[in-house]
Amino acid sequence: MKTKQLIIATLLITFFISASTAQSMDEFKISPEWISKIERLAPSEPSVKNVSKKRILVFSKATGFKHWTIPHNVEMLKILGKKSDIFDIHIGYDVENFSKDNLKKYDAVILNNSNPEGPKRDLFSDLLKMNSSLTDARIAEQAAVYENNLMEYVKKGGGLMLLHGAIVVQNNSLEFSKMTGGSFDYHPKQQEMHVKEVDVNHPLVKAFKGKGLTHVDEPYFFKNAYFDYNFRPLLYIEADKLKGLRKTPKNNINYVSWIKRYGKGRVFYSSPSHNAQSLDNPEFLMFLLDGMQYVVGDLKADDSPMVKK
């Protein structure tokens, strides 16, 4: 009898493990073939042409959960910059990239899945701990300086683009959340989802041609400043069509991409995507290129806050 119960329990465990990982996408290494594919799929030209070339810092260091797509995003962004011929892409991994003098060199900063460790979720503090012998008190003080440097950079006109997990960078800072449009709460398991446009006529989502984006991803849910809705939403998912929710969301419409102003600067956030397979979609690549043009000020679009509902 005990043997039978053990077999049943083992089968149930196997079933639930299989169900929870069934739609996880396999990691793969960057290869010359993959690079060639992205070069082929990348937009032939930007939405806004005949603009001056802009310098963009792509910060790609994670101190907590390391998304396997970080290096893939680096190569993808290099390709977008080179093929469009309007961006010089510079890759950064060191905390000194957020010094005032260094930030002045760039027209925009892209935070590429720069996840910090939990529960503190303070990227600048983590970076200082890894690369200095400062006391905890001094680290806290200096981390606040770097955070303020980035916020002032955007407020004075710099662009900021956040990819997927980068929304967690300063997750417990309410002021940072107000700048980015929200903080990370949680995500259910990876699953296929249909991401839809909020306004099919908005220039930032024209790449999807009114059809949205269907792919396998982590459905992100947000907290803190997110519920101020102080942004112009671009893409959303419907919570009642998702599996594995931990709690009933406040709203069935869950926004997963938006743009917003912060002072004189512009912010673009895209929760898609956790997986490099999503980069196989040329419409998604165009969406990201348009986001880059928006944050540097070349692509003009309605970024007024939505009406709070």
Side-chain angles (χ1 to χ4, degrees):
M1 187 66 179
K2 289 184 178 181
T3 302
K4 185 178 180 180
Q5 290 175 334
L6 181 60
I7 292 174
I8 292 173
T10 303
L11 289 172
L12 286 172
I13 291 171
T14 303
F15 170 78
F16 285 117
I17 291 175
S18 299
S20 65
T21 60
Q23 290 188 297
S24 295
M25 305 298 284
D26 292 334
E27 298 182 23
F28 62 86
K29 293 183 179 179
I30 296 171
S31 66
E33 293 75 21
W34 184 81
I35 293 287
S36 296
K37 178 173 66 173
I38 300 302
E39 288 174 340
R40 184 178 70 256
L41 295 175
S44 298
E45 56 185 27
S47 293
V48 183
K49 310 170 191 65
N50 302 316
V51 293
S52 60
K53 187 170 285 190
K54 305 298 195 301
R55 290 168 56 89
I56 294 184
L57 169 66
V58 180
F59 191 79
S60 301
K61 177 66 175 177
T63 57
F65 182 85
K66 293 177 176 62
H67 287 83
W68 66 272
T69 49
I70 289 176
H72 298 73
N73 285 343
V74 165
E75 296 305 320
M76 174 270 293
L77 292 167
K78 287 180 180 178
I79 290 168
L80 291 183
K82 183 177 180 180
K83 194 169 180 180
S84 67
D85 197 32
I86 58 172
F87 295 116
D88 281 330
I89 303 297
H90 301 262
I91 314 302
Y93 299 95
D94 187 85
V95 70
E96 278 304 308
N97 281 281
F98 297 101
S99 69
K100 285 186 178 180
D101 288 342
N102 192 68
L103 288 171
K104 290 177 182 177
K105 301 175 184 177
Y106 302 102
D107 298 286
V109 174
I110 297 178
L111 298 177
N112 175 20
N113 283 303
S114 311
N115 291 55
E117 286 188 316
K120 192 173 184 179
R121 298 208 184 277
D122 183 330
L123 178 69
F124 305 116
S125 177
D126 287 354
L127 291 169
L128 286 165
K129 287 180 181 178
M130 291 175 61
N131 299 297
S132 73
S133 57
L134 299 174
T135 63
D136 288 346
R138 186 72 180 92
I139 285 174
E141 179 182 327
Q142 189 59 41
V145 169
Y146 286 124
E147 178 182 347
N148 186 66
N149 287 350
L150 181 55
M151 295 177 66
E152 285 297 309
Y153 164 80
V154 179
K155 188 179 292 184
K156 293 178 179 178
L160 179 63
M161 182 170 175
L162 303 101
L163 298 179
H164 191 57
I167 198 73
V168 188
V169 163
Q170 296 296 106
N171 212 56
N172 295 322
S173 168
L174 184 57
E175 288 305 310
F176 201 85
S177 181
K178 290 178 180 179
M179 176 179 72
T180 60
S183 303
F184 175 74
D185 188 4
Y186 83 102
H187 67 77
K189 66 182 181 180
Q190 289 194 60
Q191 54 196 283
E192 184 175 272
M193 67 185 77
H194 184 197
V195 181
K196 301 178 182 180
E197 303 99 318
V198 174
D199 175 4
V200 296
N201 296 313
H202 195 281
L204 262 294
V205 297
K206 71 180 191 303
F208 297 117
K209 302 180 179 68
K211 300 177 182 177
L213 171 67
T214 298
H215 69 157
V216 173
D217 201 357
E218 296 171 330
Y220 269 23
F221 285 84
F222 307 95
K223 61 181 181 179
N224 293 341
Y226 171 82
F227 291 105
D228 295 338
Y229 296 116
N230 187 23
F231 50 67
R232 174 60 51 174
L234 301 176
L235 301 173
Y236 72 95
I237 50 179
E238 294 165 301
D240 60 2
K241 295 182 179 178
L242 300 173
K243 300 175 182 177
L245 300 185
R246 293 182 189 172
K247 52 191 174 183
T248 302
K250 292 184 179 180
N251 298 302
N252 190 53
I253 299 299
N254 185 58
Y255 301 112
V256 292
S257 179
W258 56 77
I259 56 174
K260 68 185 300 290
R261 298 301 295 264
Y262 183 71
K264 296 180 180 179
R266 297 169 180 83
V267 177
F268 170 95
Y269 174 63
S270 173
S271 175
S273 171
H274 178 84
N275 299 304
Q277 285 85 349
S278 299
L279 302 180
D280 290 354
N281 186 326
E283 295 175 351
F284 183 53
L285 295 177
M286 187 76 230
F287 172 66
L288 295 179
L289 182 60
D290 284 340
M292 294 164 73
Q293 284 212 282
Y294 165 75
V295 296
V296 299
D298 289 339
L299 198 164
K300 308 301 180 185
D302 181 6
D303 49 18
S304 59
M306 66 178 290
V307 177
K308 188 172 182 179
K309 297 181 180 180

